[in-house]
């Protein structure tokens, strides 16, 4: 097929060459003689080309056949090499299979040997178990015989002896349990007190605030004593107008260059003080001007109240988190006191303490600060809202969608409800720290004495108590018991009972330590 293709190509080439030559000759020679001579030359040229092309075709055919044979030989060698590699791989696989069969045969023989050994050991164990059962039966029979002999000798049955032993054991166990309880309580108190002191010390060390007891009066400085007469006005009309507009008492006495503003409502007192300072600075003092200045002062004081609440939130990093109405109520707490302690400062201090203790516990200090700041928000309400400050604060916080932890902290910081989260416990502890700090609050002597007497009465109401003393400002009571009626074990349980009774019947800040003292004295006289 290759030969035919080559011949076709040669013929085509010859035809093309012949055609071109004919055209060239026809173009040049016009006579017949020339045409004949050109034809002869052309035929001779064609014969020469055919001879040379035939030789070339034969040469190329031979080269193609040789190349084909070489290709076939290379292909055959490649196939033989692949077959040989496959044969080698199959031989290796057969060798591995033979090795695995040998290994499996060895393992099978080893398992058969172990199975025979296990069967032999099972037989031995069965024989030993039978011997043990027979020995147990014999021992039980001997025990029964010895028990009958003991009952005959003791003159009582085994059940009676068990009952007496049980009672004796219970009595001894009660003493041991009381001793264990004392040791465990002592150890637990040491650990708890150490950790608590460390945490409280860290928190208190990081925060310290000024505590200044504010009185119920404010002093307004005057440029001169002549201004007192202008404040009083003709027949006292100015001072009466000022007192009616502000709701406070204006005291003008012999104090040089000063007027005293007296009132229990700090908002009213502050309004009167600011209004009076503005009137003194302006110089125009008459009833109409007084009413105008008081109205303006009330508006300015509302702005100051809101600013105080915003400042408190900013100081604690809570800006933008609390409802604006609650912010205004926080500012009003600046003009509220509890036992002479400023409620806003107290709330800020509680929030700081909560945040620091929460950080020590690796908790969310932002939520703890929020609960501490709002725990006394009910004290900002006026007399128009009825209820305790705890309930009022809870209602306000719930109204403005405060988190559940904040609501529980408000209810539980005076034990109106059980705390159900760590934040509530932190608020309760921080509130106690802030309130119980020496000098932070003032307490009436009468209520103080009544609280101590109530604690002493609770201790003396228990049987076997000789005397009870309340010491350390009511933070500890010491109970002296009659040693003939109360044992050491009973003294432990008595202390716990008194503590539970105080928890149930009394409300107090912080903790009260109950110490039961049992003393036995033996005397003799040498003559």
């Amino acid at each position: 097929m290759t030969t035919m293709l080559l011949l076709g190509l040669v013929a085509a080439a010859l035809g093309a060459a012949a055609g071109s030559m004919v055209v060239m000759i026809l173009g040049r020679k016009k006579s017949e003689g020339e045409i004949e001579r050109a034809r002869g030359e052309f035929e001779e040229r064609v014969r020469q080309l055919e001879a040379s092309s035939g030789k070339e075709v034969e040469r190329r055919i031979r080269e193609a056949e040789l190349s084909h044979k070489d290709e076939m030989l290379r292909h055959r060698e490649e196939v033989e090499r692949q077959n040989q590699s496959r044969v080698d791989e199959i031989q290796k696989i057969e060798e591995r299979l033979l090795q695995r069969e040998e290994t499996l045969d060895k393992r099978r023989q080893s398992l058969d040997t172990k199975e025979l050994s296990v069967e032999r050991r099972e037989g031995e164990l069965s024989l030993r178990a039978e011997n043990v059962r027979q020995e147990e039966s014999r021992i039980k029979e001997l025990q029964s015989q010895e028990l009958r002999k003991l009952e005959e000798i003791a003159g009582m049955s085994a059940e009676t002896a068990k009952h007496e032993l049980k009672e004796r054991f219970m009595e001894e166990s009660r003493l041991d349990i009381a001793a264990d309880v004392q040791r465990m309580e002592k150890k637990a108190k040491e650990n708890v007190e150490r950790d608590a002191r460390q945490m409280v010390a860290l928190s208190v060390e990081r925060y310290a605030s000024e505590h200044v007891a504010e009185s119920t009066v404010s002093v307004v400085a005057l440029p001169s004593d002549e201004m007192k007469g202008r404040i009083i006005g003709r027949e006292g009309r100015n001072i009466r107008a000022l007192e009616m507009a502000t709701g406070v008492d204006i005291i003008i006495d012999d104090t040089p260059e000063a007027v005293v503003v007296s009132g229990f409502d700090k908002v009213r007192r502050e309004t009167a003080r600011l209004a009076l300072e503005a009137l003194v600075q302006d110089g125009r003092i008459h009833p109409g001007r007084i009413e105008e200045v008081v109205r303006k002062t009330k508006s300015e004081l509302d702005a100051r109240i809101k600013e105080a609440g915003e400042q408190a939130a900013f100081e604690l990093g809570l800006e933008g988190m609390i409802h604006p109405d609650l912010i205004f109520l926080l500012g009003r707490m600046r003009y509220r006191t509890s036992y002479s302690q400023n409620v806003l400062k107290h709330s800020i201090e509680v929030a700081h303490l909560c945040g620091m203790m929460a950080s020590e516990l690796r908790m969310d200090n932002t939520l703890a600060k929020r609960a501490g700041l709002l725990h006394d928000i009910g004290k900002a309400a006026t007399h128009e809202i009825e209820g305790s400050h705890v309930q009022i604060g809870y209602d306000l916080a719930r109204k403005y969608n405060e988190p559940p932890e904040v609501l529980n902290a408000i209810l539980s910081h005076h034990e109106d409800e059980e705390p159900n989260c760590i934040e509530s416990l932190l608020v309760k502890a921080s509130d106690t720290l802030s309130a119980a700090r020496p000098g932070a609050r003032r307490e009436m002597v009468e209520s103080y004495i009544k609280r101590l007497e109530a604690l002493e009465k609770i201790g003396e109401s228990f049987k076997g108590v000789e005397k009870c003393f309340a010491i350390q400002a009511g933070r500890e009571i010491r109970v002296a018991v009659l040693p003939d009626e109360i044992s050491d074990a009973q003294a432990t349980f008595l202390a716990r009972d008194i503590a539970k009774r105080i928890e149930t019947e009394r409300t107090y800040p912080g903790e009260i330590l109950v110490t039961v003292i049992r003393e036995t004295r033996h005397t003799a006289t040498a003559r």
Side-chain angles (χ1 to χ4, degrees):
M1 185 175 182
T2 305
T3 303
M4 295 296 291
L5 181 60
L6 292 173
L7 290 174
L9 292 172
V10 171
L14 290 175
S20 63
M21 290 181 66
V22 170
V23 172
M24 291 174 63
I25 292 171
L26 289 175
R28 292 179 183 177
K29 306 292 183 177
K30 302 296 182 178
S31 62
E32 292 292 335
E34 291 177 354
I35 292 172
E36 289 295 331
R37 190 169 50 254
R39 181 181 296 171
E41 292 176 359
F42 171 71
E43 291 176 355
E44 181 63 25
R45 183 64 177 167
V46 167
R47 285 193 296 271
Q48 290 177 0
L49 287 173
E50 287 179 352
S52 62
S53 63
K55 293 178 181 180
E56 181 67 22
V57 168
E58 290 178 358
R59 186 178 64 78
R60 292 189 178 184
I61 289 173
R62 287 195 297 271
E63 289 179 357
E65 289 177 351
L66 290 174
S67 176
H68 179 67
K69 288 179 180 181
D70 292 339
E71 183 68 23
M72 291 295 294
L73 287 173
R74 286 195 299 272
H75 182 67
R76 183 180 297 172
E77 291 175 357
E78 180 67 24
V79 171
E80 288 177 354
R81 282 196 300 271
Q82 291 179 358
N83 291 335
Q84 185 63 37
S85 64
R86 290 179 180 176
V87 170
D88 294 341
E89 185 177 357
I90 291 171
Q91 289 178 354
K92 292 179 181 179
I93 292 173
E94 290 178 351
E95 291 175 359
R96 288 198 296 269
L97 290 175
L98 290 174
Q99 291 177 358
R100 288 184 180 179
E101 288 180 358
E102 292 176 359
T103 304
L104 290 174
D105 291 338
K106 291 179 180 179
R107 289 184 179 180
R108 190 180 298 108
Q109 293 176 1
S110 176
L111 289 174
D112 293 340
T113 304
K114 289 182 179 179
E115 186 176 357
L116 293 174
S117 177
V118 169
E119 291 178 355
R120 184 170 62 254
R121 289 183 180 180
E122 286 181 353
E124 293 176 357
L125 291 174
S126 299
L127 181 60
R128 290 182 181 180
E130 183 64 27
N131 294 334
V132 169
R133 283 194 293 271
Q134 294 177 1
E135 188 68 20
E136 287 179 352
S137 299
R138 189 177 67 82
I139 291 173
K140 288 181 180 179
E141 182 63 27
L142 291 174
Q143 287 178 347
S144 300
Q145 294 176 4
E146 292 295 330
L147 183 59
R148 287 193 293 271
K149 290 180 181 179
L150 289 173
E151 289 178 353
E152 292 176 358
I153 294 171
M156 66 176 66
S157 64
E159 294 298 329
T160 305
K162 287 180 181 179
H163 182 69
E164 291 186 1
L165 289 173
K166 183 178 179 180
E167 290 183 351
R168 185 179 301 175
F169 176 75
M170 290 296 293
E171 183 64 25
E172 293 177 356
S173 298
R174 182 178 177 84
L175 297 175
D176 293 340
I177 289 172
D180 292 338
V181 168
Q182 290 178 346
R183 287 193 297 270
M184 292 173 66
E185 285 183 347
K186 183 178 179 181
K187 185 176 180 180
K189 286 179 180 179
E190 290 176 355
N191 295 335
V192 170
E193 287 179 0
R194 183 180 65 251
D195 296 341
R197 285 173 182 169
Q198 183 179 3
M199 185 182 299
V200 171
L202 288 171
S203 301
V204 173
E205 181 183 4
R206 292 169 57 189
Y207 179 78
S209 62
E210 298 180 357
H211 293 275
V212 180
E214 298 181 1
S215 62
T216 59
V217 297
S218 299
V219 179
V220 178
L222 301 178
S224 63
D225 287 338
E226 180 186 357
M227 186 62 67
K228 292 182 180 180
R230 299 178 62 182
I231 293 173
I232 296 172
R234 183 179 299 176
E235 297 178 356
R237 63 175 186 172
N238 291 344
I239 192 171
R240 285 198 302 271
L242 184 60
E243 289 178 344
M244 290 180 62
T246 57
V248 299
D249 292 332
I250 307 297
I251 301 174
I252 300 177
D253 53 15
D254 296 334
T255 305
E257 299 180 355
V259 172
V260 176
V261 179
S262 177
F264 288 98
D265 190 329
K266 286 194 172 185
V267 177
R268 293 179 181 177
R269 195 170 72 243
E270 184 69 9
T271 303
R273 185 183 69 82
L274 295 174
L276 190 56
E277 288 179 351
L279 289 170
V280 170
Q281 186 176 3
D282 183 53
R284 294 176 295 168
I285 304 177
H286 53 82
R289 179 61 178 168
I290 289 173
E291 293 177 359
E292 179 184 352
V293 171
V294 169
R295 284 196 301 269
K296 183 178 179 182
T297 303
K298 288 181 178 180
S299 300
E300 293 177 355
L301 189 59
D302 289 340
R304 290 190 182 187
I305 289 173
K306 184 178 179 180
E307 183 180 356
E310 292 174 347
Q311 180 62 31
F314 176 77
E315 180 181 345
L316 296 167
L318 301 175
E319 65 275 13
M321 300 183 185
I322 302 176
H323 195 277
D325 291 347
L326 289 180
I327 291 291
F328 184 79
L329 291 174
L330 282 173
R332 289 182 65 177
M333 290 199 302
R334 179 181 180 182
Y335 302 100
R336 297 285 190 271
T337 58
S338 177
Y339 296 101
S340 78
Q341 185 181 27
N342 186 278
V343 178
L344 180 59
K345 291 182 179 180
H346 164 70
S347 299
I348 294 174
E349 181 178 6
V350 170
H352 278 298
L353 292 173
C354 287
M356 286 183 283
M357 286 193 284
S359 298
E360 293 294 330
L361 296 173
R362 292 176 175 81
M363 295 173 52
D364 184 6
N365 61 350
T366 302
L367 183 59
K369 288 180 181 179
R370 189 169 185 167
L373 181 63
L374 298 177
H375 80 284
D376 270 345
I377 192 67
K379 291 183 178 180
T382 62
H383 63 280
E384 297 174 355
I385 303 177
E386 297 183 356
S388 65
H389 78 278
V390 174
Q391 187 61 42
I392 294 172
Y394 172 78
D395 294 337
L396 289 171
R398 186 178 62 177
K399 176 182 178 182
Y400 295 110
N401 299 321
E402 286 297 316
E405 293 83 359
V406 176
L407 299 179
N408 182 254
I410 294 174
L411 284 178
S412 63
H413 80 281
H414 281 317
E415 298 184 352
D416 289 28
E417 185 177 293
E418 289 296 325
N420 58 17
C421 58
I422 301 298
E423 289 79 8
S424 298
L425 296 175
L426 294 180
V427 170
K428 185 177 179 181
S430 302
D431 181 57
T432 303
L433 283 173
S434 177
R437 187 197 303 270
R441 291 186 173 183
R442 289 204 303 261
E443 189 175 12
M444 299 299 291
V445 177
E446 293 81 2
S447 61
Y448 172 75
I449 294 174
K450 289 180 180 179
R451 184 163 64 86
L452 297 187
E453 290 177 349
L455 292 175
E456 291 178 352
K457 287 181 179 179
I458 290 175
E460 292 173 354
S461 64
F462 285 84
K463 183 180 179 181
V465 176
E466 181 178 7
K467 193 65 178 174
C468 181
F469 303 96
I471 61 176
Q472 293 188 6
R475 304 254 190 275
E476 180 182 356
I477 62 172
R478 294 186 179 179
V479 182
V481 299
L482 298 172
D484 297 335
E485 299 183 12
I486 304 295
S487 63
D488 288 337
Q490 292 173 338
T492 301
F493 294 104
L494 178 61
R496 296 171 64 88
D497 293 340
I498 295 175
K500 289 183 178 179
R501 179 89 170 271
I502 294 174
E503 290 177 358
T504 304
E505 298 183 4
R506 304 300 303 171
T507 301
Y508 51 90
E511 297 179 348
I512 296 178
L513 178 64
V514 179
T515 303
V516 176
I517 302 173
R518 180 180 180 272
E519 182 182 15
T520 304
R521 296 186 182 183
H522 302 279
T523 59
T525 304
R527 298 172 186 251

